[in-house]
Amino acid sequence: MRQEKTRIKVAALPRYGQLAASTRYRFHQYIEPLHKRGIEVDLLPLLSDKYLRSKHAGTKVSRADLLAAYLGRIRLFLRSSSYDAHWLHIEAFPMVPHVLENALIRWSNTPYVLDIDDAFFHSYEALESTVPRWLLNGKIDRLMAGARVVFAGNAYIADRARSSGASKVAIIPTVVDTSRYIIRNHAPSDRLRVGWLGSPSTTKHLRLLQPVISMLTTEQIEFVAMGADSALIGDMPIKSVRWREDDEQSFLAGLDVGIMPLMEDSFARGKCGFKLIQYMACGLPVVASPVGANAVIVDHGENGFLPSTAEDWCNSLRRLRDDVTLRTSFGERSRLKACEHYDMHFWASEISALLIDVARDKRTKSDSSGLGSSK
């Protein structure tokens, strides 16, 4: 007899809409692959793209809009018995103490997966005001401890989750659909085009390379950045391009090398190296600071370099400028590693299996209590 395919329903609860890379790559891109595996995902962001645009522009956000967003999510938890699992991004209610958020989680009687792709727990630790820090410090740790599974973006976050008492931790990197990326043809050229892809909030890392960029722009090397804060770019000799999702592919396709500088601190160690994965999907050699996940993604001397000093950065980029054969071989190995380790279709299977286990756990408990399944 043919067995009926398991169908479960999951509420994906990212912090922002699809304008945020975390929402696009850790939630939205999986909706269709998970659907094919019997999992219906409702994508229900807390804050809209309008909010994120205002935040990036530095303009005032309407308190009425914020209140409406929080009230909408409260209603979801109060009425969410139809879901087999909640798939939370970081937390359900930013800047709300754990005791209140946990009360709503318990009321919903729905198990949750906690998805963390950055070291957000350090943000509450770094709050300057004493009262908010006292109320919020440790919140993410308690949420990790209460989750059925923690999806950790890298080993640093996974270690924190385990030390917080999480019962199950799975390292799920932020990945791409490699079939959608244009592979770079490394033909000889007069200038090396070195690119950085990021956001206004991460421009501070690019600033670390100011002396390197200033020196190498006189040596047939051109630097271009997409998504950077133009105010922070300042007088650096680097071409700044406004980020648009539709332009991202063509921007990457026009690069010879992708870079990801990072400062050595606790926040940087929690980064998932997503920029590197995007570069590598295009078959680009990469140069990155040897911090956190960067040192796992980049195989030094195989698909890129991991320079520690300004001099090392200069020498690495000069080597790639002068040797098109090296650029080509690094690029081929980058593309191969992206396809083998960081392709969305592989990780969709991993996520599917984990979500199904969480959903079955809820159904088993419902059946044992005599309530049966609501599906």
Side-chain angles (χ1 to χ4, degrees):
M1 179 181 293
R2 183 178 179 181
Q3 190 174 11
E4 184 179 353
K5 189 176 182 179
T6 302
R7 306 297 298 182
I8 68 172
K9 193 171 183 181
V10 174
L13 305 175
R15 180 174 289 187
Y16 303 117
Q18 292 184 53
L19 187 62
S22 57
T23 300
R24 295 196 308 276
Y25 292 102
R26 293 194 72 85
F27 294 92
H28 184 262
Q29 72 170 339
Y30 290 112
I31 291 177
E32 183 58 29
L34 292 178
H35 175 79
K36 293 177 180 178
R37 292 168 170 82
I39 302 173
E40 304 296 334
V41 178
D42 287 343
L43 188 67
L44 305 168
L46 172 66
L47 301 167
S48 67
D49 286 341
K50 175 185 174 183
Y51 171 89
L52 200 57
R53 288 190 187 96
S54 297
K55 181 180 178 182
H56 285 167
T59 57
K60 191 174 182 180
V61 177
S62 165
R63 291 186 178 181
D65 288 346
L66 280 175
L67 179 60
Y70 274 68
L71 288 175
R73 183 155 284 189
I74 289 171
R75 285 194 295 270
L76 182 145
F77 273 83
L78 294 177
R79 303 172 181 175
S80 63
S81 60
S82 63
Y83 290 109
D84 294 296
H86 288 154
W87 184 1
L88 300 180
H89 185 218
I90 313 162
E91 56 192 330
F93 300 93
M95 299 301 294
V96 171
H98 178 259
V99 64
L100 299 178
E101 182 164 322
N102 190 54
L104 283 167
I105 289 173
R106 292 173 66 86
W107 176 277
S108 73
N109 196 32
T110 301
Y112 68 93
V113 172
L114 195 66
D115 195 308
I116 305 183
D117 60 333
D118 220 334
F120 291 99
F121 34 82
H122 292 314
S123 298
Y124 286 148
E125 296 169 355
L127 288 173
E128 295 182 1
S129 300
T130 303
V131 174
R133 187 171 64 248
W134 177 74
L135 289 172
L136 297 168
N137 192 12
K139 175 189 176 181
I140 305 299
D141 297 276
R142 288 190 282 273
L143 285 171
M144 290 191 287
R148 297 297 170 86
V149 186
V150 174
F151 289 176
N154 59 32
Y156 181 80
I157 297 170
D159 288 343
R160 177 67 174 245
R162 295 185 189 101
S163 67
S164 299
S167 59
K168 188 172 184 178
V169 180
I171 296 180
I172 307 290
T174 307
V175 299
V176 299
D177 181 352
T178 56
S179 67
R180 298 181 59 190
Y181 282 74
I182 303 168
I183 303 174
R184 174 65 163 161
N185 176 25
H186 293 281
S189 60
D190 294 334
R191 294 179 66 83
L192 186 77
R193 189 174 173 87
V194 177
W196 178 90
L197 177 63
S199 65
S201 64
T202 57
T203 309
K204 60 185 179 182
H205 299 293
L206 184 59
R207 291 285 309 178
L208 297 172
L209 293 185
Q210 182 171 12
V212 173
I213 293 171
S214 297
M215 179 180 295
L216 294 182
T217 48
T218 65
E219 301 182 18
Q220 309 320 121
I221 298 179
E222 174 187 7
F223 291 87
V224 59
M226 172 177 267
D229 184 331
S230 57
L232 286 178
I233 289 290
D235 59 355
M236 291 174 65
I238 181 170
K239 181 181 179 182
S240 183
V241 179
R242 185 178 179 181
W243 181 86
R244 287 183 69 252
E245 186 177 2
D246 292 342
D247 296 337
E248 197 175 77
Q249 287 286 330
S250 59
F251 170 78
L252 291 170
L255 303 179
D256 296 304
V257 178
I259 58 172
M260 186 172 177
L262 284 179
M263 57 185 67
E264 177 63 70
D265 62 19
S266 55
F267 288 97
R269 286 192 289 274
K271 292 290 181 185
C272 294
F274 179 59
K275 294 182 186 70
L276 296 175
I277 292 169
Q278 288 185 287
Y279 303 147
M280 291 164 63
C282 294
L284 295 177
V286 288
V287 184
S289 302
V291 177
N294 285 10
V296 176
I297 297 169
V298 181
D299 300 313
H300 183 74
E302 295 292 327
N303 57 17
F305 295 117
L306 293 166
S308 299
T309 66
E311 183 180 5
D312 290 341
W313 272 92
C314 288
N315 290 335
S316 297
L317 291 171
R318 285 172 180 141
R319 284 189 64 186
L320 291 168
R321 176 199 61 194
D322 296 338
D323 193 339
V324 67
T325 301
L326 183 67
R327 292 205 305 271
T328 301
S329 64
F330 275 18
E332 290 172 350
R333 292 168 188 161
S334 283
R335 172 70 182 179
L336 181 61
K337 185 166 185 177
C339 292
E340 290 183 344
H341 297 281
Y342 301 111
D343 185 80
M344 175 268 291
H345 296 286
F346 168 80
W347 291 102
S349 298
E350 298 290 302
I351 291 170
S352 172
L354 292 164
L355 290 175
I356 288 172
D357 283 345
V358 172
R360 284 175 176 165
D361 185 44
K362 179 184 178 180
R363 293 186 179 191
T364 299
K365 288 187 176 181
S366 296
D367 292 342
S368 65
S369 67
L371 298 177
S373 172
S374 62
K375 309 300 175 293

